[in-house]
Amino acid sequence: MAVRRLRHDVVDSLRSGAVIATLAQALEELVLNSADAQATCVDCSLFPSEASVVVSDNGTGMSLAELSTIGERHVSSKGGGIAGVHGMAMGFRGEALASLAALSHLEVSTHDRSTGKTWTRILQRPAVDETFESDRPRVAGTAVAVRQLFAAMPVRRARLVPSSELAAAVRVLQRMALALPHVSTSLRCDGALRATFRACSSRRRAIAQQYGEETASRLRRVQARSACGGFLVSGYVGLARSSNDAQLVFVNARYCKRVPRLVSAMRRATDSFLGRPGPLGTRAVLPAPRGRLPAIRGASGAAPGSRLRQDDAGVPVAVGPDRACIVAVLDVECDPSRYDVGFDPEKTVIEFDDWEAVTGAIVASIDAYFLGWRSGSCDSLASATGRHLLSAIATIR
Ligand SMILES: Nc1ncnc2c1ncn2[C@@H]1O[C@H](COP(=O)(O)OP(=O)(O)OP(=O)(O)O)[C@@H](O)[C@H]1O
Ligand SMILES: [Mg+2]
């Protein structure tokens, strides 16, 4: 068989399908672009049955020259390469818009700060690529419309489930609201307002907005270091009732969408302290807490019935009205060589070289919360040494 180079459009479609798999993921890429463009206000509109999403921001906007590069693969203003991966920007591959241009009808309208003009570019491959000065000027920022996602890929299109896209999109904005408290976001679905997150002065306020004042009042600041010293974990931990979408980890200030091993480690530690066997087979070490725990206002709104299911990170979890769950928003600091964010096409998925060390430090931080909680003191110094991790320190303050 002769060796041939694959056609450009074949490579493009294979690669694009790997980068974007759902409508909510398309929305997430657009929201992350808005965040990278220093937007403080991001409005999203979802049209699940049309497989379309529009994200509008008040960020930096783009010049005409920058707009003309949209749709080209590996074109980015964000450093790029492995050095860019460790920078503050969420984007580093220069792939998201190129993939969306290959998979959908793309329309980008942007305010060019240098000229004050608003440019619109419409890309409908292969026939249409037009750029013109918009007759609807923007005051600032960019609006990106992705229409008819997977129009040319009927199997992918058929796999989109409109109802799950809305729930997944709400989760994207919930995570963004915790990751970037200073950014306000909103989500409409078929024109109806479904979620709003106001800009907040701190992460604690952002947690209060999402999970309620009662949960926020139970939050404690924790800190733990892994035995080898390579991973420092700090952030907020508290208890709430039910739901399971309240565990968020940042690694060197990068927001990570899925870190199932860390999430299951947090839940194991929680189950263990709350004295339930839990779905993960942990041992009871403490009696269950007295009193009612506050409910979390999850994406679905309703308190789920008791049952076992997998969450969106693939972690098995028991959900039910009385289930206590851990609210944890944690920062992991470590040497950038200890992890890889380019491991998976979804760039918010992360792999560590030493999972045991990082999960140990995470568990130690949860331990610190519970040890302080049991002693009734928020100011106690709790040593997590022994139970999960030798020579870890964990404090509650
Ligand atoms: N909302 C926006 N405001 C301003 N510039 C934008 C916006 N969206 C995209 N851009 C510009 O378009 C470029 C390409 O975006 P794209 O999302 O394809 O790549 P990226 O964000 O650099 O990397 P990644 O593929 O990892 O997301 C960005 O680097 C940025 O310069
Ligand atoms: Mg991007």
Side-chain angles (χ1 to χ4, degrees):
M1 206 187 301
V3 177
R4 290 175 292 118
R5 194 172 291 280
L6 291 175
R7 277 200 343 252
H8 188 54
D9 58 320
V10 173
V11 175
D12 215 26
S13 108
L14 291 172
R15 180 68 207 166
S16 301
V19 172
I20 306 283
T22 66
L23 194 58
Q25 209 184 317
L27 177 142
E28 180 162 53
E29 290 290 350
L30 300 182
V31 171
L32 293 176
N33 278 347
S34 297
D36 283 346
Q38 278 100 53
T40 54
C41 181
V42 182
D43 295 315
C44 310
S45 293
L46 199 66
F47 303 93
S49 54
E50 295 159 26
S52 302
V53 59
V54 184
V55 172
S56 176
D57 68 50
N58 65 349
T60 55
M62 279 180 262
S63 68
L64 186 56
E66 285 167 330
L67 182 64
S68 69
T69 64
I70 295 296
E72 272 178 56
R73 202 167 288 283
H74 310 308
V75 172
S76 175
S77 59
K78 301 172 192 170
I82 203 70
V85 168
H86 302 307
M88 293 300 282
M90 282 306 302
F92 56 88
R93 309 161 306 182
E95 280 209 296
L97 290 185
S99 294
L100 288 167
L103 295 170
S104 69
H105 298 164
L106 196 67
E107 183 175 324
V108 183
S109 277
T110 192
H111 176 81
D112 181 348
R113 278 178 171 175
S114 57
T115 61
K117 293 183 175 172
T118 297
W119 302 104
T120 295
R121 181 160 174 215
I122 298 178
L123 259 172
Q124 291 181 14
R125 286 191 173 141
V128 181
D129 184 354
E130 294 170 5
T131 303
F132 50 88
E133 188 175 348
S134 177
D135 53 10
R136 282 188 294 171
R138 296 182 63 81
V139 181
T142 303
V144 181
V146 170
R147 298 206 172 89
Q148 299 294 338
L149 184 65
F150 300 132
M153 300 171 90
V155 175
R156 295 273 173 116
R157 178 68 185 265
R159 288 287 300 274
L160 294 181
V161 183
S163 53
S164 357
E165 293 291 349
L166 171 60
V170 173
R171 284 196 294 272
V172 168
L173 292 199
Q174 284 180 319
R175 287 191 294 264
M176 290 305 297
L178 294 176
L180 302 167
H182 64 284
V183 179
S184 74
T185 54
S186 70
L187 175 68
R188 288 179 182 275
C189 186
D190 295 321
L193 189 62
R194 302 304 290 259
T196 49
F197 298 102
R198 292 183 316 277
C200 293
S201 54
S202 67
R203 190 167 282 165
R204 189 187 264 272
R205 293 310 313 151
I207 296 172
Q209 173 172 215
Q210 243 174 91
Y211 301 110
E213 292 293 343
E214 202 181 341
T215 296
S217 70
R218 292 167 185 262
L219 290 175
R220 300 287 176 255
R221 194 143 171 85
V222 296
Q223 196 179 67
R225 190 182 287 281
S226 66
C228 60
F231 297 94
L232 177 68
V233 173
S234 60
Y236 291 105
V237 175
L239 275 178
R241 184 163 54 83
S242 190
S243 192
N244 52 41
D245 57 354
Q247 295 92 21
L248 198 72
V249 179
F250 302 86
V251 179
N252 289 346
R254 279 192 78 79
Y255 136 88
C256 305
K257 176 175 171 184
R258 275 201 292 132
V259 199
R261 286 205 227 189
L262 299 188
V263 171
S264 58
M266 287 183 215
R267 290 191 187 143
R268 258 200 308 275
T270 310
D271 284 345
S272 176
F273 269 103
L274 293 182
R276 4 165 233 254
L280 300 163
T282 48
R283 250 177 343 107
V285 297
L286 269 186
R290 290 214 176 83
R292 281 171 55 79
L293 290 164
I296 285 183
R297 288 180 242 135
S300 65
S306 294
R307 60 194 190 279
L308 251 187
R309 70 170 180 82
Q310 285 201 334
D311 71 359
D312 64 330
V315 178
V317 61
V319 291
D322 297 323
R323 183 188 156 80
C325 95
I326 197 85
V327 173
V329 184
L330 299 173
D331 287 286
V332 176
E333 286 172 52
C334 62
D335 188 297
S337 64
R338 308 296 304 267
Y339 63 93
D340 190 338
V341 282
F343 209 79
D344 187 280
E346 270 195 73
K347 62 174 181 265
T348 48
V349 175
I350 202 158
E351 274 291 324
F352 288 95
D353 67 343
D354 185 350
W355 279 100
E356 208 173 314
V358 70
T359 52
I362 293 267
V363 167
S365 71
I366 307 286
D367 282 1
Y369 169 76
F370 280 110
L371 290 170
W373 180 68
R374 182 169 59 172
S375 69
S377 160
C378 321
D379 305 317
S380 65
L381 177 72
S383 167
T385 307
R387 201 172 89 83
H388 285 288
L389 191 69
L390 282 174
S391 30
I393 57 131
T395 57
I396 296 184
R397 51 187 162 84

